[in-house]
Amino acid sequence: MTSKSGVVQIETGRILDPQTRSSEILFGLIMVLTFTGSLSVATSSREDVQAMFIGALGCNLAWGLIDAVMYVTAMLVERGRMLALARAVRSSAQPEEARGFVLYALPDGFASLIDTAQLDAIVQRVRAQPEPARYPGLTLRDIGGAVGVLLLVFFSTLPVVLPFLFTEDTWRAMRWSNGIALVMLFWTAYIQARWGGLRRIPFSLVMVALGAVLVALTIALGG
């Protein structure tokens, strides 16, 4: 989150950070818009609308499952990388090599803030820990994150397709659907801008325009 002063703050206690949550919603929105955008206002029948509704739900459910699996995979890979770095630090005979592994594990921009003494202290603390596990494992938090990813992608479908269930006027339903989608695109981009310390309104407007372009390209390419 971001404080009133504009300073970026770290949000703790949540399984998925704001960037991940908003990105999954944005992905789900783009997917469902490829379905609603393919409808013809002039020629689409109720059967076409029903097929679009079922197709949009099914597609976002499938992609939600895929994203959930990829989330778990990414967590395993990252955890395995950190375990490998910990073993490398513990087994390094040369101080310079051990410091290099620690620096490699640090986020970009932090390496210049730590001096040699601090690096050596980190190395000693890593070596003082119990032997790290050979292979990474999953936690309940990982499973919760995967479920969260699935639900975000799937339920982002509903606000966009619901107007087609409440009116038989395809033109009116399309206008409501597009309006809701634009608001959701702006909102998710606004969250990302606040999380990243960017200029919120300009970034959100750019992302709305970019989302529209991506939807148009997906439809044009047969997506």
Side-chain angles (χ1 to χ4, degrees):
M1 60 180 296
T2 306
S3 67
K4 293 181 180 180
S5 63
V7 178
V8 177
Q9 297 178 345
I10 297 175
E11 181 175 315
T12 60
R14 293 181 181 269
I15 295 177
L16 299 176
D17 60 58
Q19 168 66 21
T20 301
R21 297 199 299 270
S22 57
S23 294
E24 295 299 337
I25 294 173
L26 183 62
F27 178 75
L29 275 174
I30 292 175
M31 292 301 297
V32 70
L33 285 173
T34 63
F35 284 85
T36 59
S38 64
L39 285 177
S40 170
V41 174
T43 62
S44 294
S45 63
R46 292 306 299 174
E47 289 75 17
D48 294 327
V49 172
Q50 184 179 19
M52 178 277 298
F53 184 84
I54 295 174
L57 288 179
C59 181
N60 271 30
L61 176 60
W63 278 109
L65 286 169
I66 292 171
D67 257 16
V69 172
M70 295 305 297
Y71 173 86
V72 170
T73 302
M75 295 300 293
L76 280 174
V77 170
E78 179 61 20
R79 194 166 295 134
R81 186 178 75 92
M82 297 309 296
L83 288 174
L85 284 172
R87 287 192 296 270
V89 170
R90 292 168 61 89
S91 62
S92 296
Q94 300 297 324
E96 294 81 5
E97 186 179 45
R99 295 180 197 126
F101 286 124
V102 172
L103 287 173
Y104 182 75
L106 292 175
D108 292 341
F110 278 76
S112 60
L113 304 178
I114 299 180
D115 57 28
T116 301
Q118 291 170 319
L119 286 173
D120 288 337
I122 295 174
V123 170
Q124 292 306 315
R125 292 187 65 180
V126 171
R127 289 175 173 172
Q129 298 298 312
E131 181 70 23
R134 181 64 179 173
Y135 299 106
L138 291 177
T139 66
L140 289 177
R141 188 179 181 86
D142 298 331
I143 302 301
V147 172
V149 166
L150 169 61
L151 294 179
L152 284 171
V153 175
F154 178 73
F155 282 109
S156 62
T157 310
L158 297 181
V160 181
V161 298
L162 282 179
F164 294 93
L165 299 183
F166 291 103
T167 178
E168 295 186 359
D169 187 338
T170 305
W171 184 89
R172 180 173 296 178
M174 184 72 77
R175 300 291 81 78
W176 274 103
S177 177
N178 290 342
I180 292 171
L182 287 175
V183 171
M184 291 181 68
L185 283 171
F186 185 91
W187 174 66
T188 53
Y190 190 90
I191 292 174
Q192 290 182 329
R194 184 178 63 179
W195 174 250
L198 305 175
R199 297 177 62 190
R200 302 174 189 180
I201 300 300
F203 180 82
S204 301
L205 292 175
V206 170
M207 288 302 296
V208 169
L210 180 59
V213 171
L214 290 174
V215 170
L217 286 174
T218 303
I219 294 173
L221 294 172

